[in-house]
Amino acid sequence: MGRASAKDSSPSSSSSSSSPSLVDNSKHKNHPRTSLSFASSVCRYSSCNSGGSSSTRAGRTRRGDLNTDLRLGLSIVSPDAQKDNWIGPPVSKQREQRQDWPPIKSLLRTTLAVAGKADANVHNVHNNDNSDRTRTSLFVKVYMEGVPIGRKLDLLTLHNYDDLISTLAHMFTTSITCPNGDRADHAKSLHVLTYEDREGDWMMVGDVPWEMFMTTVKRLKITRADRC
Amino acid sequence: MDPSKSRDSAESTRVIQFPNDVLERILSLIDSHRDRNAVSLVSKAWYNAERWTRRHVFIGNCYAVSPQIVARRFPNIRSVMLKGKPRFSDFNLVPPNWGADVHGWLAVFADQYPQLEELRLKRMTVTDESLKFLARKFHNFRVLSLLSCDGFSTDGLEAIATDCRHLTELDIQENGIDDISGNWLSCFPENFTSMEVLNFASLSSDVNFDALERLVSQCKSLKILKVNKSITLEQLQRLLVRAPQLTELGTGSFLQELTAHQNEELERAFIGCKYLHALSGLWEATTLYLPVLYPACTNLTFLNLSYAALQSEELAKLVAHCPRLQRLWVLDTVEDVGLEAVASSCPLLEELRVFPADPYDQDINRGVTESGFLAVSLGCRKLHYVLYFCRQMTNAAVARIVQNCPGFTHFRLCIMKPGQPDYLTNEPMDEGFGAVVKTCTNLRRLGVSGLLTDLTFEYIGRYAKNLETLSVAFAGGSDLGMKSILVGCPKLRKLEIRDCPFGNEALLSGLEKYESMRSLWMSACKVTLHGCKTLATQRPRLNVEVMKDEEIDDGQSYKVYVYRTVAGPRTDAPSFVHTL
């Protein structure tokens, strides 16, 4: 039927895909499962503990990367559990994502995926160790005055301003005024550190608590000390 | 005359003389399709009276019957609800272009029901051509509801907006569609005033705000408005002041830097919403702006926070203002602490759904655990519907939960790692689910998970006498498991199974059962073509459809979909679906 085939060529015609403007699921669109190499040859029927695939059903294997097999350290089932038991889909350590488990609907699935990558500044840091949510990184651009090419730095790997300064000083091979430092040192450093906040203003790094800084910083700039 | 004869003929005369129009008048007051189905079985006269007075038809499986058969039986239909694909298509288990295209139905309806007013579709394929056809052919069309459908784009919505002059409801939810532009909203005519329900929350394109504002101002009967993420807080405020009569609101993005004045205005707008009983949307909501909601929460019965990743404290503060809450949907970012707050603030809670914010995260220290669920069961004794995604659970907790709330009708527990045992005892979750079916005698829907042996299914078969829907994944030990279900649960209507070691013997043990059920789905199990063929041969009134399971290399694994039908095998099946 002409109608149906017209939709076939469209990238999001599959019922399994969600709105294309949310996330690029293009590799999942028509073959949602074959592109996932977690689907290794670990036999579904076996109790795999350290990735050895002892198949109790000869020949029934999932397509996929044999190497992934060994990397999948599954210890889901205790030894005294039923032996012919279902382990289910192994989950790759690289978080390759199944599109069919757990059973949540496409819209929620993609909304969560986008939220996880999106503006990390927004939700960040309620700062309580138990509730660091899904943020795995918070990359901001860092430019040094006079150098056109910038760097990127993951702020989540740092814990305080000292960390920040020393990391940047190392990255850019220069000395940067420490915000808590003695003003007398000012003369010795070549550069000071400034940042652009969410309102678009450029501010000196170090005035607000680290946690608050993390929620408002958008990018960093290392400016010449004689300019400030 | 023989006295007994005269009595008989007197009685039969009485029945015959019962005027049809009186009967029809009475029957036209009956809405429930189950009641009507029962009525139609009484006698031929009642069957006829019923069929002439039926206005709304519900078709749970679009392939169980054909549109011609429906039209022949029910001449006066004004409202149709149709469901298409099996539920597991929500999780990408059904290949694209499987079917359930509504067009065949529309073509018949255009002929037989030109006065059709309402169409509600779930998991059907709907093309733009179909939407254009709909808009063109049905001049009295009022209600279009598309839930989890696919195949159309916003172009199709343009046709609906342009041509359906009397539209009162446009409800587009969770569909896999081409969101090309938000222009469709601007297609409503300038003098359009009939809208009562407008839900475009799941579309992402920007809509013309002026057009939306005008629509909201003009439609004085607008009761339900759910906008999409593109609508800002400032714009929301403008909409709310024009529609204080709203009973259900889906906000747009809840994150925008507002001035103090704008904040105040927004607060006032929410204070003005005195009739609000349902709230959703709230994308990116944070502590900063949630408080503006508080005044509108007094009468809230449904709060949907599935798109707002709230932390426990934020939720606690919010629900403290929602004493009448009956239904709550949240993400597991609220954690057990958040659920404890719900338990203490919302004693009237009946339904709780907790979705995983990061479904692929294996870190067991995130999300909710058994203690959150337990806390809610202690504080909310009316709880009867739960959908709970978690990473750990114990049998003891489940048993206590159902002890606290024996009235469960829907118990859907998803321990996300397949095959996960009770994390304290390392035992299967058999006893936990056993407790559920033993205690909750009104249980109608059950979703099981975790490490489960055949014992779980034995319990279900033995105790779950009111169970209608069962979902099973990565569970069971042998054919015995599935057999117990099929032999046991007398009211079973829908059975969906994936990745379980159930084979032909299990499949065939349901021979006596399938015709009283709506459908059976089995994928990544151990059934073979031979078993399916046997079933098909022995039960010609079932459609036994198989699709090759591409995940499995052996070329022998199938997805099986079995359903009763009076329409015979599908005529529109794609090449990968084989009816046996």
Side-chain angles (χ1 to χ4, degrees):
Chain A
M1 298 215 278
R3 283 172 279 112
S5 58
K7 272 297 162 194
D8 283 350
S9 55
S10 145
S12 57
S13 64
S14 122
S15 64
S16 61
S17 76
S18 44
S19 170
S21 56
L22 283 182
V23 110
D24 177 26
N25 260 345
S26 52
K27 67 172 176 153
H28 297 305
K29 280 191 173 86
N30 292 312
H31 298 284
R33 291 175 296 286
T34 54
S35 61
L36 303 172
S37 63
F38 81 84
S40 72
S41 53
V42 172
C43 177
R44 292 174 302 147
Y45 293 85
S46 67
S47 329
C48 304
N49 269 338
S50 49
S53 63
S54 52
S55 165
T56 55
R57 293 263 169 249
R60 300 199 69 168
T61 56
R62 282 185 188 271
R63 267 190 225 141
D65 185 5
L66 276 169
N67 290 329
T68 328
D69 219 351
L70 300 170
R71 286 186 274 122
L72 296 169
L74 297 175
S75 52
I76 300 174
V77 181
S78 64
D80 40 275
Q82 187 154 359
K83 60 179 161 81
D84 203 1
N85 182 55
W86 268 127
I87 310 300
V91 183
S92 158
K93 287 194 178 135
Q94 293 108 340
R95 296 170 99 236
E96 279 163 2
Q97 298 172 358
R98 291 194 69 133
Q99 295 297 306
D100 61 35
W101 188 264
I104 58 175
K105 290 187 181 177
S106 300
L107 183 63
L108 184 62
R109 188 186 295 274
T110 46
T111 306
L112 296 174
V114 170
K117 291 177 190 139
D119 195 357
N121 285 331
V122 169
H123 272 300
N124 217 359
V125 209
H126 284 261
N127 237 30
N128 137 13
D129 296 296
N130 301 328
S131 70
D132 50 359
R133 209 175 57 80
T134 49
R135 245 23 100 206
T136 48
S137 65
L138 177 52
F139 280 99
V140 296
K141 291 181 186 171
V142 191
Y143 283 92
M144 177 140 94
E145 192 176 344
V147 181
I149 309 290
R151 301 285 303 265
K152 266 197 158 174
L153 178 62
D154 182 358
L155 292 182
L156 284 186
T157 60
L158 309 168
H159 304 285
N160 53 38
Y161 286 121
D162 288 332
D163 262 358
L164 177 63
I165 298 287
S166 54
T167 308
L168 287 178
H170 199 258
M171 254 179 164
F172 290 87
T173 338
T174 181
S175 62
I176 304 176
T177 303
C178 171
N180 301 323
D182 202 337
R183 281 291 155 185
D185 288 344
H186 202 327
K188 293 188 198 150
S189 311
L190 296 172
H191 292 93
V192 294
L193 188 55
T194 61
Y195 73 102
E196 183 186 8
D197 70 8
R198 281 172 58 194
E199 288 166 4
D201 301 320
W202 285 93
M203 315 291 288
M204 191 83 107
V205 165
D207 290 327
V208 299
W210 175 252
E211 294 77 12
M212 197 184 291
F213 170 69
M214 291 274 268
T215 62
T216 61
V217 61
K218 280 175 59 182
R219 56 166 76 196
L220 292 163
K221 190 160 174 194
I222 304 171
T223 39
R224 301 227 317 243
D226 53 13
R227 293 281 178 86
C228 301
Chain B
M1 209 187 324
D2 180 350
S4 61
K5 254 202 182 140
S6 76
R7 191 170 48 236
D8 285 345
S9 60
E11 278 180 13
S12 49
T13 314
R14 267 207 297 275
V15 171
I16 291 169
Q17 280 176 348
F18 193 62
N20 254 347
D21 40 339
V22 174
L23 184 57
E24 284 186 14
R25 190 73 209 281
I26 295 171
L27 294 182
S28 62
L29 299 172
I30 300 179
D31 286 329
S32 146
H33 66 270
R34 287 192 200 191
D35 287 344
R36 279 186 163 270
N37 292 344
V39 159
S40 68
L41 295 174
V42 170
S43 70
K44 269 219 162 104
W46 284 50
Y47 176 90
N48 277 316
E50 192 282 307
R51 75 184 191 91
W52 278 96
T53 57
R54 197 184 287 223
R55 282 282 190 273
H56 168 70
V57 68
F58 168 81
I59 297 159
N61 175 2
C62 65
Y63 287 118
V65 70
S66 74
Q68 291 83 358
I69 293 173
V70 174
R72 206 161 50 224
R73 178 171 170 188
F74 300 116
N76 288 322
I77 297 296
R78 296 286 164 92
S79 157
V80 176
M81 168 139 203
L82 264 173
K83 292 187 178 180
K85 299 181 208 151
R87 194 182 77 97
F88 275 174
S89 72
D90 283 352
F91 318 124
N92 304 320
L93 286 180
V94 175
N97 303 316
W98 178 85
D101 193 319
V102 76
H103 203 83
W105 290 82
L106 290 180
V108 172
F109 291 162
D111 211 31
Q112 304 289 323
Y113 304 140
Q115 297 303 311
L116 189 71
E117 294 174 7
E118 303 184 1
L119 189 62
R120 296 172 206 275
L121 304 178
K122 186 168 184 181
R123 294 193 197 99
M124 302 271 311
T125 292
V126 184
T127 60
D128 285 342
E129 282 75 11
S130 293
L131 290 175
K132 290 173 188 164
F133 183 81
L134 179 65
R136 220 170 44 234
K137 293 282 184 175
F138 299 96
H139 301 286
N140 220 14
F141 199 70
R142 287 163 202 275
V143 169
L144 181 62
S145 168
L146 300 173
L147 178 57
S148 302
C149 295
D150 70 307
F152 63 101
S153 77
T154 42
D155 287 351
L157 296 180
E158 284 187 17
I160 299 290
T162 313
D163 295 327
C164 298
R165 304 267 146 176
H166 307 286
L167 203 65
T168 61
E169 177 170 336
L170 182 60
D171 187 354
I172 312 290
Q173 282 189 56
E174 295 185 40
N175 301 287
I177 67 165
D178 263 337
D179 194 339
I180 300 170
S181 91
N183 190 50
W184 59 272
L185 189 76
S186 311
C187 293
F188 284 104
E190 291 245 347
N191 58 353
F192 182 71
T193 57
S194 48
M195 195 66 91
E196 295 171 20
V197 176
L198 178 61
N199 177 359
F200 61 98
S202 60
L203 300 178
S204 47
S205 294
D206 290 2
V207 297
N208 180 314
F209 182 70
D210 289 336
L212 178 60
E213 200 175 6
R214 185 184 62 218
L215 189 142
V216 170
S217 315
Q218 286 174 186
C219 296
K220 299 293 177 202
S221 306
L222 190 68
K223 287 286 188 306
I224 297 176
L225 176 65
K226 298 182 184 176
V227 300
N228 71 5
K229 212 171 164 185
S230 74
I231 300 297
T232 65
L233 280 176
E234 198 186 336
Q235 291 172 328
L236 181 69
Q237 184 267 338
R238 284 160 66 180
L239 295 175
L240 289 180
V241 299
R242 280 162 185 69
Q245 77 281 4
L246 287 180
T247 58
E248 294 186 30
L249 173 68
T251 73
S253 165
F254 226 68
L255 180 74
Q256 183 189 2
E257 297 206 9
L258 296 179
T259 64
H261 174 64
Q262 284 171 322
N263 204 327
E264 230 180 83
E265 282 193 323
L266 185 61
E267 263 177 358
R268 245 180 289 130
F270 272 105
I271 292 173
C273 294
K274 298 196 182 5
Y275 304 102
L276 221 51
H277 62 73
L279 192 56
S280 58
L282 301 168
W283 280 281
E284 298 162 329
T286 61
T287 323
L288 214 45
Y289 295 113
L290 283 175
V292 307
L293 293 174
Y294 297 165
C297 290
T298 336
N299 293 320
L300 221 54
T301 57
F302 177 35
L303 182 56
N304 181 354
L305 299 168
S306 325
Y307 299 103
L310 297 191
Q311 307 293 313
S312 33
E313 274 207 24
E314 293 168 318
L315 179 68
K317 287 192 197 138
L318 180 54
V319 294
H321 292 87
C322 308
R324 297 206 177 82
L325 206 59
Q326 291 172 12
R327 301 169 62 207
L328 176 64
W329 297 14
V330 289
L331 287 177
D332 65 0
T333 47
V334 303
E335 295 184 339
D336 293 331
V337 179
L339 295 181
E340 283 161 26
V342 172
S344 53
S345 303
C346 309
L348 302 179
L349 198 71
E350 297 179 20
E351 175 179 329
L352 175 68
R353 301 194 196 199
V354 182
F355 298 101
D358 197 350
Y360 307 108
D361 188 358
Q362 295 299 298
D363 183 353
I364 230 165
N365 293 321
R366 294 222 186 122
V368 293
T369 70
E370 75 278 11
S371 53
F373 197 167
L374 195 50
V376 177
S377 74
L378 278 167
C380 310
R381 295 308 175 112
K382 291 180 154 204
L383 197 64
H384 69 85
Y385 190 128
V386 167
L387 169 58
Y388 201 79
F389 285 85
C390 57
R391 293 185 173 88
Q392 64 184 51
M393 189 51 62
T394 67
N395 286 307
V398 175
R400 278 182 62 200
I401 286 164
V402 292
Q403 214 172 20
N404 295 334
C405 301
F408 268 107
T409 55
H410 297 68
F411 192 94
R412 305 165 63 189
L413 177 62
C414 184
I415 304 166
M416 288 190 278
K417 206 179 207 180
Q420 172 128 327
D422 174 325
Y423 80 99
L424 286 181
T425 65
N426 242 0
E427 290 183 352
M429 292 296 300
D430 296 339
E431 295 306 320
F433 286 107
V436 173
V437 292
K438 285 177 200 164
T439 318
C440 306
T441 49
N442 290 329
L443 196 69
R444 297 203 307 266
R445 182 168 181 181
L446 180 63
V448 298
S449 59
L451 180 62
L452 300 175
T453 71
D454 287 340
L455 186 56
T456 301
F457 302 105
E458 226 182 287
Y459 285 144
I460 297 175
R462 207 187 314 160
Y463 295 103
K465 293 308 172 191
N466 284 314
L467 191 66
E468 296 177 11
T469 307
L470 178 63
S471 305
V472 188
F474 306 108
S478 72
D479 284 339
L480 203 56
M482 187 172 162
K483 257 179 159 166
S484 308
I485 304 291
L486 290 169
V487 162
C489 307
K491 294 204 180 160
L492 194 66
R493 292 191 303 118
K494 288 175 275 185
L495 180 57
E496 41 186 32
I497 301 174
R498 58 166 293 185
D499 293 89
C500 294
F502 302 140
N504 294 336
E505 205 185 318
L507 178 69
L508 294 171
S509 65
L511 271 178
E512 306 302 320
K513 188 71 152 224
Y514 299 133
E515 278 177 29
S516 65
M517 289 170 56
R518 183 184 295 174
S519 65
L520 164 73
W521 168 279
M522 287 179 79
S523 59
C525 295
K526 282 153 63 171
V527 290
T528 69
L529 208 50
H530 175 72
C532 298
K533 281 192 176 144
T534 310
L535 175 61
T537 321
Q538 302 221 9
R539 286 288 180 271
R541 283 202 298 238
L542 298 175
N543 275 356
V544 179
E545 295 177 3
V546 293
M547 291 181 276
K548 274 247 175 79
D549 193 340
E550 282 162 7
E551 273 283 274
I552 320 296
D553 260 344
D554 65 358
Q556 283 174 48
S557 196
Y558 293 93
K559 298 184 183 181
V560 184
Y561 185 46
V562 179
Y563 56 92
R564 66 180 175 191
T565 179
V566 295
R570 285 175 60 178
T571 50
D572 65 349
S575 54
F576 55 84
V577 174
H578 306 280
T579 310
L580 298 177

